[in-house]
Amino acid sequence: MTLPGGPDRAPEDRVLVFAKTAGFRHDSIPDGIAAVRELGERHGFTVDATEDAAAFDDKRLARYAAVVFLSTTGDVLGPAQQRAFERYIARGGGYVGVHAAADTEYDWPFYGGLAGAYFQSHPAVQPATVRVEDRAHPATAHLAAAWNRTDEWYNYRSNPRARAHVLAALDESTYSGGTMRGDHPIAWCQEYRGGRAFYTGGGHTAQSFADPAFRTHLLGGIRWATGAARADCRPETGYRALFDGTSTRGWQQAGPGSFTLEDATLTSDGGMGLLWYAAREFGSYSLKLDWRMSGADGDDNSGVFLGFPPSDDPWSAVNNGYEIQIDATDAPDRTTGSVYGFQAADAPARDAALNPPGEWNTYELRVEGERLRIYLNGHQINDFTNTDPARSLRQGHIGIQNHGAEDRVSFRNIRVKEFEAAGKGGRG
C-alpha cells in the first residue's frame, strides 16, 4: 500500500483518515476527507487517507499523531490490526471518531471504550440545538453556549459521561427522536489507555463539512488528539456553577477596575482590584475555571485568590489568602501555575500542559485542609501545603483578579465541587 503525502514528517504533523466501511456507507465521506485535507493544508499537518486496513501495523501507524475514523461502519479491522492499534494508542497515539465511527467494531471492547459509546438508533435528519458544556476545549471554544445546526442525531447505547469529558450535548426538547432521557452527549473527549480520544456525533451530511463552525469543531478535536492543543478531558460530574455566564449574582467587586461580561465571559478591565464570590466561603473543594490571556501582546497578568476573609479591600486577599498566578513572563514563583510568592510551578509539567496566549486553559484548584494542588488542563503542575499560621486554606473566599489597565484576562465557567456536605466546608 502506498500512502500519499510526500516526504516523512514528524508524527505530530501527520494525520491518517481511515474511511473503510463494512456496513452503511455515508455519501459525505469524500467531503469529510476533503475537509480534513484542507484543514491540514491551512494548519500545518499532512493528511493521508485510506480504506486499506493494512495501514494498521506498528511501523505505519507510528507515522501518525492521530487516526481519524471517518464514518467507518461495521467490522473494519482484523485481529492483528486491532492489536497494532491498541499498541499505537498505548504509546500515546490519538483517535478522532466522526459520526458513524460509533457504528463500528461492536465486538472489540477496546474500541468501544475508546470511542466512548456505540450507536443505537437515529431519527430523520433535522435541526436541533446543541448545548455546549465546555467552551475552553479547542473543539468547542469558538461556539456559543447554544449551537443550532442540522444533522442526523445519533442515540447511543450508553451514556459516556461517567468515563469521558462531555463537550456538548443535545437538547432533546428541540427535536424529535431523542431517546437518552434528557442527558444526551454528542461530543466528548478522554485520555484512554495511554492515548487521547475525541468523538463528535456530527458529520452525517455533506453540508457539515462545508460549515465553518463544524470544520473548526473538527479541527479542534484533531489538534487535541494530536497533542497540538491541550485541554482538561477528565470526566467531570458534581460541580455547580459560581459563574454560569449569565450574571455575577453573588459576586462583588473590591477595589478599582471591573470585569466586563460578554459572550458568557468575564474579562478584566483596569485595576488593581478583585471580583470575589461574597455569597459564601468554602473549605474542602475543587474549583475549576477556564481562563485566557486576551491582550494583544500576549503578556497579561491576573490570578485566582483562595482562602481569604471577606473585605472590600483587594489587598486583604493578597495579605491573607493565596494567589494562583496567571502570567507568562514573571519570576518563577510569580508565573502561571505558581502560588504567588510562595511556590513555583513544576515548570516542565506546566509548559507541557499550557496553551499559549489567546487560547483557553482550564485550572483545577483542589483544596483539602492546608493542601492545595493545581492542575492545568488536567495535569498536576503544583502541590503546595500551607505552613503559615497566619494564613489558612481551610476556609475562605474565592476571587479573580483584575490586575491593571494593560492586562486583559478572560474567565469562563467558574464552578465548584465540595468534598463535604454543604455547611461543613464553609459559612453561608
Side-chain angles (χ1 to χ4, degrees), residues 110-409:
F110 174 90
Y111 182 85
L114 181 72
Y118 282 121
F119 163 80
Q120 183 176 60
S121 65
H122 66 77
V125 173
Q126 60 190 297
T129 298
V130 177
R131 304 295 179 190
V132 180
E133 297 187 14
D134 184 334
R135 298 185 66 211
H137 192 283
T140 45
H142 65 293
L143 299 171
W147 185 21
N148 300 310
R149 61 184 310 271
T150 296
D151 215 316
E152 181 183 75
W153 302 113
Y154 276 8
N155 300 305
Y156 300 95
R157 297 185 181 186
S158 61
N159 190 318
R161 188 178 295 277
R163 57 187 177 277
H165 179 70
V166 175
L167 303 174
L170 285 169
D171 183 340
E172 290 190 335
S173 71
T174 65
Y175 74 106
S176 62
T179 65
M180 297 188 69
R181 301 179 181 180
D183 185 13
H184 195 143
I186 198 65
W188 54 81
C189 60
Q190 61 176 320
E191 295 187 3
Y192 185 78
R193 298 194 184 182
R196 296 171 299 277
F198 166 85
Y199 172 82
T200 179
H204 172 82
T205 65
Q207 292 82 0
S208 295
F209 296 103
D211 175 10
F214 185 78
R215 288 167 67 105
T216 302
H217 173 61
L218 181 57
L219 173 65
I222 292 171
R223 292 187 67 235
W224 180 79
T226 63
R230 286 79 174 176
D232 188 348
C233 282
R234 296 173 297 167
E236 185 174 314
T237 58
Y239 286 80
R240 66 178 182 88
L242 299 183
F243 168 68
D244 65 0
T246 60
S247 77
T248 54
R249 186 187 320 180
W251 296 78
Q252 292 183 18
Q253 179 69 34
S258 63
F259 282 82
T260 60
L261 172 55
E262 184 178 359
D263 187 27
T265 303
L266 292 167
T267 301
S268 63
D269 183 15
M272 174 181 274
L274 184 75
L275 183 66
W276 61 289
Y277 190 71
R280 60 163 297 174
E281 298 180 3
F282 295 94
S284 183
Y285 60 94
S286 166
L287 176 71
K288 284 191 175 184
L289 69 168
D290 307 327
W291 60 268
R292 178 182 68 184
M293 293 185 180
S294 299
D297 63 359
D299 184 14
D300 298 292
N301 188 309
S302 184
V304 184
F305 280 87
L306 308 176
F308 58 92
S311 175
D312 291 331
D313 179 3
W315 290 100
S316 175
V318 174
N319 295 325
N320 297 286
Y322 286 104
E323 180 185 7
I324 293 76
Q325 182 70 341
I326 298 171
D327 189 310
T329 60
D330 210 331
D333 65 345
R334 298 194 294 272
T335 53
T336 295
S338 66
V339 182
Y340 186 92
F342 290 90
Q343 183 165 296
D346 178 335
R350 187 267 317 278
D351 294 347
L354 180 66
N355 287 320
E359 297 186 17
W360 287 94
N361 293 275
T362 299
Y363 266 159
E364 180 191 5
L365 311 177
R366 190 178 185 94
V367 176
E368 295 173 282
E370 297 292 357
R371 186 182 185 188
L372 165 62
R373 282 174 285 177
I374 301 172
Y375 296 81
L376 175 64
N377 294 324
H379 297 277
Q380 185 172 305
I381 62 168
N382 208 335
D383 189 345
F384 169 77
T385 298
N386 171 52
T387 58
D388 184 350
R391 299 173 186 252
S392 179
L393 285 163
R394 291 184 181 276
Q395 186 165 308
H397 288 274
I398 291 165
I400 55 175
Q401 184 186 54
N402 53 302
H403 184 267
E406 303 301 318
D407 299 300
R408 289 180 58 80
V409 177

